[in-house]
Amino acid sequence: MASTSYSDKQPDTDVETQRTRLCDEFATITGTDSAVAQCYLAENDWEMQRALNSFFEADMERVFAEDFEDDSNPTPKKQKTEEQPSADCIDLTGDSPATSCKSAEDDEKKLSLISWNVDGLDTDNLGERARGLCSYLVLYTPDVVFLQELIPPYVQYLKKRAVSYLVIEGKACLEKLFNAGGEEAYFTGMMLRKSRVKFLESEIVTYPTTQMMRNLLVAQVIFKGHKLCLMTSHLESCKGHAEERMKQLRMVMQRVKDAPDDVTVLFGGDTNLRDTEVVKVGLPSGVCDVWEKLGKQEHCRYTWDTKANSNKTVPFVSRCRFDRIYLRPATKEGVPQLCPDHMALVGLEKLDCGRYTSDHWGIYCSFTVG
């Protein structure tokens, strides 16, 4: 999306034409009318990206307020048969039913993770879908969350709603993207559960030849005394960009390989990978694909499934395992190893709006430490 302001030196007719076009475009994206579009654009110096961010942030604020005014919770339909968290716990600061059922031993030894491309660029039902994500956070209380295709208003909503999590944003290239124009900005992020994961530092590693402003977000953390290196990324999309995607995977796996031997590495995200590409690149010794490690269970194979997920209208059926989790346990003698023990897909139930939380299914994984 172009982020353009128009000088007063332009002829009045040109300015009027450009602003009319911007109003029409804004109204189409947001589902509003020209009057609302003109208001937001004028307040933001007729810069489209700023105006859109302002609109969606305001919309998230409204949705956020409604959460506390309405006793109904837009949780996935399968949760209606389960005990619901009280209104006092809707901000995710309290324990969920799942957490309260855990034994002390399980709580000490297990690390849980969700990885999810939340499709923030799809603005239809964005507020309800963001609340849907938060409902899954309440249900599963993951220690670590990897997110892809975030946009600024979505992140602001998560920061206000999920206050028991530290949110880390991987948006180093946003300013460059705004200046380049032609695309809307989106990025990756992580959420760390403050009570169980100690954040040390993070960095953003740029892929030097990406055409889609993709990068690698890396965070060093401590979980129950164990050193973890967490990595998430949204690798280059589409079949035609396989070579660039494999370059990016090689960079990621080199970082995994180079991590100290007393550190456990977890990499996950929307990799867009095909199995043949992984074979060509190869995985370093000691690195495993968690889905394969757990026996290639069919029920959690396809994370992009247009046969089952109707959020995107496409004239074909595509079932792919784009979203993946990779693990390299610590290898130093005496350091406890992380071992995967469970994987499932999340987001399989429609929300009240009739759509899913995202066009991707999320991945939930748990790991034992021992």
Side-chain angles (χ1 to χ4, degrees), residues 24-44:
D24 290 343
E25 189 174 354
F26 183 98
T28 299
I29 293 171
T30 60
T32 58
D33 55 31
S34 58
V36 173
Q38 184 174 357
C39 177
Y40 276 96
L41 285 162
E43 287 180 353
N44 290 279

Side-chain angles (χ1 to χ4, degrees), residues 186-204:
Y186 59 95
F187 47 94
T188 61
M190 289 187 195
M191 301 175 68
L192 308 177
R193 193 174 168 203
K194 296 175 185 177
S195 62
R196 286 168 56 84
V197 181
K198 180 182 178 182
F199 172 71
L200 301 178
E201 61 181 359
S202 65
E203 64 174 314
I204 297 171

Side-chain angles (χ1 to χ4, degrees), residues 115-126:
S115 181
W116 209 336
N117 179 327
V118 295
D119 194 19
L121 291 177
D122 178 0
T123 58
D124 290 344
N125 309 108
L126 186 61

Side-chain angles (χ1 to χ4, degrees), residues 127-148:
E128 185 168 350
R129 287 169 40 231
R131 281 186 288 170
L133 170 65
C134 288
S135 295
Y136 282 105
L137 298 185
V138 169
L139 181 63
Y140 290 98
T141 57
D143 298 303
V144 176
V145 184
F146 294 156
L147 297 172
Q148 302 85 46

Side-chain angles (χ1 to χ4, degrees), residues 164-228:
S164 56
Y165 285 85
L166 171 67
V167 180
I168 305 169
E169 301 171 51
K171 58 177 184 179
C173 294
L174 280 186
E175 190 63 38
K176 182 178 178 182
L177 181 56
F178 288 158
N179 292 339
E183 290 185 64
E184 290 184 83
Y186 59 95
F187 47 94
T188 61
M190 289 187 195
M191 301 175 68
L192 308 177
R193 193 174 168 203
K194 296 175 185 177
S195 62
R196 286 168 56 84
V197 181
K198 180 182 178 182
F199 172 71
L200 301 178
E201 61 181 359
S202 65
E203 64 174 314
I204 297 171
V205 180
T206 301
Y207 299 131
T209 54
T210 178
Q211 300 297 308
M212 301 179 182
M213 295 306 194
R214 305 294 169 83
N215 57 36
L216 176 67
L217 177 59
V218 183
Q220 308 294 335
V221 307
I222 302 291
F223 173 75
K224 300 296 181 180
H226 304 291
K227 298 178 183 178
L228 303 182

Side-chain angles (χ1 to χ4, degrees), residues 259-312:
D261 61 0
D262 63 340
V263 174
T264 295
V265 184
L266 277 168
F267 166 67
D270 180 0
T271 68
N272 283 301
L273 287 167
R274 284 70 170 170
D275 290 340
T276 54
E277 297 167 4
V278 178
V279 171
K280 288 180 181 179
V281 172
L283 298 180
S285 175
V287 176
C288 71
D289 180 319
V290 171
W291 178 75
E292 293 181 352
K293 181 75 172 179
L294 291 173
K296 300 182 179 181
Q297 298 172 343
E298 193 66 22
H299 70 86
C300 52
R301 175 190 292 267
Y302 301 116
T303 63
W304 167 260
D305 187 353
T306 62
K307 182 178 180 180
N309 190 313
S310 57
N311 273 26
K312 288 283 189 288

